[in-house]
Amino acid sequence: MGQVVLISGGTSGIGKRSAELFAAGGYQVAILGRDAIKGQQVAESLQQSYPPTKILYIQGDVSKVEDCAKAVAQTVQWGGSLDVLINSAGRYFEKALEDVTEEDFDAMVGINLKGTVFMTKYAVLQMKKQGAGNIVNISSDAGIHGNMLCSSYCASKGGVNMFTKAMALELGPYGIRINAVCPGDVLTPLTEAQLKQYPDRQAALQEMASVYPLGRIATVDEVAEIVYFLAGSKASFVNGALWSVDGGLT
């Protein structure tokens, strides 16, 4: 069978679309998510759509260190190796700083930054044994330039970006590459939930898109294709990059 990829947040949005691309590319695909029913449904759909690819769903929460360790261990036991890790699990909300509670902040950083750090830690322990590996972190333009009314999110993604650069230096000598993809707004379930807060979804979407030089926001395909590229051999000398996929916004 092909190489093994583990995708956190692989049951929706960019993570799910990435899982489809890896499955189509002949990888064995393990997806990690919190919702067991949704996870099993996505795994079954992938299995039906991309036979004879092997698909594994793992239930877990990346903000819990023990779940990060478990996810990597289960993947290796199932697939025999761990060649690629995609850190796609994410959380987003918009609040002025004075309205952000400790619980809000802990939840944001727990998933976006802590989850990325500890998924990477346990993946690296395996990848070093193999002498090679590849990690792609889903970050954000907000971790590069900052956005209005989402300081906690910006802080978490800024942390992901600097973590990526630091780990590129640390892991390069072991044959392990690590990069981050930094999208702007993408039409995902998270974005749809944000748009539903407004009385006129289409008007809100148009306003969101108006700041982009290309006049629209990204699709999940446009981001997932970059994730797949960075994880593959054609990007073999790309390491420590913050790859903007934002229509020219930054």
Side-chain angles (χ1 to χ4, degrees), residues 78-191:
W78 167 76
S81 67
L82 177 57
D83 303 290
V84 178
L85 171 68
I86 309 298
N87 285 310
S88 185
R91 180 180 176 85
Y92 179 84
F93 62 75
E94 294 181 355
K95 286 186 179 182
L97 180 59
E98 57 264 34
D99 297 324
V100 175
T101 66
E102 183 178 7
E103 290 75 19
D104 288 335
F105 184 80
D106 287 348
M108 182 75 79
V109 173
I111 293 175
N112 292 354
L113 182 54
K114 180 182 175 183
T116 295
V117 168
F118 283 94
M119 286 296 296
T120 300
K121 172 183 175 175
Y122 291 106
V124 164
L125 290 172
Q126 174 63 28
M127 290 175 176
K128 282 185 176 180
K129 293 177 185 177
Q130 300 168 185
N134 202 315
I135 301 165
V136 182
N137 298 323
I138 309 302
S139 186
S140 171
D141 69 302
I144 296 174
H145 60 63
N147 284 341
M148 178 74 79
L149 295 176
C150 56
S151 57
S152 298
Y153 181 75
C154 294
S156 69
K157 291 301 188 178
V160 169
N161 288 346
M162 289 303 101
F163 173 73
T164 300
K165 285 189 168 292
M167 291 308 298
L169 302 176
E170 189 171 325
L171 298 177
Y174 296 93
I176 302 169
R177 292 190 298 113
I178 180 168
N179 295 285
V181 178
C182 300
D185 290 297
V186 185
L187 200 58
T188 66
L190 278 176
T191 304

Side-chain angles (χ1 to χ4, degrees), residues 61-65 68 106-107 110-111 114-115:
D61 180 346
V62 298
S63 69
K64 299 177 180 178
V65 174
C68 296
D106 287 348
I111 293 175
K114 180 182 175 183

